[in-house]
Amino acid sequence: MKHFLLLISCMLLLGANSCKPKKNEPWISLFDGQTLDGWELKNGNAPYTIINEEIIGTTVMDSPNTFLCTTALYSDFILEFDVKVDTTINSGVQIRSNSFSDYNEGQVHGYQIEIDPSKRAWSGGVYDEGRRGWLYNLEANTSGRSAFKNGVWNHYRVEAIEDKFMVWVNNINTTNLRDNMTSKGFIGLQVHSISDSIHAGKEIRWRNIKIITDDPKSYSWEPNLTAALKVTS
C-alpha cells in the first residue's frame, strides 16, 4: 500500500474565489422537504422524521447503525448538504454504499463521510463502513480539523469522480483520497448505534441535500495543482 498525503485547504491555497459556485450548476434535490419519497430505511430502527424541511434522525437503544438511503444508485457526482448534530454523538453520510443479502446479512457498507463533533475532530474524513475502517482521517490536517463547528449548521461538499474523493466542510478542504474499491452505490444518512440510555433521543438534522450527476467533473472544485492524493490499494 502506498500512501501519498496532501492535506490542503482550498480557501488557503487557492483563495476564497476558487470555492465559489460555478454558473448554472445542474443541481438535483434529493429531498423535497415534505416527504421521504426516494428514500428507504436499512439495518436499524432509529426513526427519521421531517420538521421544517429538515430530515431528523433520532438515536434509540437496542438498534444497530441505522441508515436512511436513497433508492437510486449513484456513481460520479457532487453532493452537498447541511448537517447539525448533537455534540455527544457521531454520525456520517454514506456514499457509493451498498447492502447485499450475501454480505453480512445485508449490512450497509461503503464510503462514509464523517460527522464527528468530538474533540478528535475528524469531520470530513472518510471511513469505510462495514469493511476496511478509516481510509482518510484528519490526524495531520490542522485546518481540516478546525472546519466543523459544533452547535450550528455545517455545510458539506463531497466530490466522488472516478476514483477520486474530495471533501470540503464549510469550504475548507478536509479529504483528498483516491480509491477504486466501489464505483457505484446509494447515499445514506446515518444514525449511529448507542450503548447507553444517556445518548438516547439525540438528534442529527440534515437539510438542503442536493446532487450533481450531469458531467460533475466540469463543476469540480479540485485544486489546479500537480500533487499526489492519498492512495489506497
Side-chain angles (χ1 to χ4, degrees), residues 81-215:
F81 59 88
D82 298 328
V83 64
K84 185 177 181 182
V85 62
D86 188 281
T87 58
T88 64
I89 57 173
N90 178 280
S91 184
V93 170
Q94 299 293 134
I95 63 169
R96 288 189 185 172
S97 296
N98 290 282
S99 172
F100 302 125
S101 60
D102 60 353
Y103 184 90
N104 293 343
E105 300 181 342
Q107 180 185 10
V108 168
H109 57 282
Y111 306 105
Q112 180 182 122
I113 309 304
E114 186 73 4
I115 300 168
D116 178 17
S118 74
K119 291 182 180 179
R120 181 181 65 175
W122 286 358
S123 290
V126 177
Y127 182 82
D128 195 4
E129 175 78 15
R131 295 192 298 197
R132 297 167 291 173
W134 280 103
L135 301 180
Y136 201 104
N137 62 44
L138 275 67
E139 285 181 329
N141 189 348
T142 302
S143 62
R145 290 201 311 275
S146 68
F148 187 90
K149 306 299 182 185
N150 280 329
V152 299
W153 287 98
N154 289 272
H155 183 72
Y156 276 63
R157 181 183 177 95
V158 181
E159 298 188 4
I161 300 173
E162 298 171 348
D163 67 344
K164 192 178 299 181
F165 301 84
M166 304 189 75
V167 182
W168 288 261
V169 177
N170 297 324
N171 289 340
I172 295 176
N173 181 222
T174 57
T175 284
N176 306 300
L177 171 70
R178 178 161 279 161
D179 185 85
N180 61 6
M181 190 169 191
T182 305
S183 61
K184 189 174 185 178
F186 53 70
I187 292 164
L189 312 180
Q190 184 198 51
V191 172
H192 207 287
S193 62
I194 56 173
S195 58
D196 56 66
S197 59
I198 295 175
H199 294 98
K202 304 300 183 181
E203 295 180 343
I204 310 98
R205 296 172 175 255
W206 292 272
R207 68 183 185 188
N208 301 328
I209 308 168
K210 60 184 182 179
I211 195 168
I212 292 175
T213 58
D214 183 11
D215 191 21

Side-chain angles (χ1 to χ4, degrees), residues 41 43-48 56-60 63-67 191-192:
L41 205 64
N43 288 184
N45 55 25
Y48 293 77
I56 303 173
T58 305
T59 56
V60 294
S63 172
N65 291 345
T66 307
F67 301 90
V191 172
H192 207 287

Side-chain angles (χ1 to χ4, degrees), residues 40-51:
E40 60 185 357
L41 205 64
K42 294 184 182 293
N43 288 184
N45 55 25
Y48 293 77
T49 57
I50 300 171
I51 299 176

Side-chain angles (χ1 to χ4, degrees), residues 9-20 168 171 221 223 225:
S9 164
C10 180
M11 298 292 285
L12 293 176
L13 292 185
L14 299 181
N17 290 334
S18 300
C19 288
K20 287 184 178 179
W168 288 261
N171 289 340
W221 281 2
L225 300 171

Side-chain angles (χ1 to χ4, degrees), residues 15-78:
N17 290 334
S18 300
C19 288
K20 287 184 178 179
K22 298 178 181 180
K23 291 183 179 179
N24 302 317
E25 291 179 326
W27 290 106
I28 300 170
S29 178
L30 292 181
F31 170 50
D32 63 16
Q34 304 298 323
T35 73
L36 294 179
D37 291 348
W39 297 82
E40 60 185 357
L41 205 64
K42 294 184 182 293
N43 288 184
N45 55 25
Y48 293 77
T49 57
I50 300 171
I51 299 176
N52 296 328
E53 299 189 346
E54 301 169 11
I55 296 176
I56 303 173
T58 305
T59 56
V60 294
M61 287 292 295
D62 303 319
S63 172
N65 291 345
T66 307
F67 301 90
L68 182 67
C69 305
T70 59
T71 55
L73 305 182
Y74 300 94
S75 181
D76 287 3
F77 59 83
I78 298 172

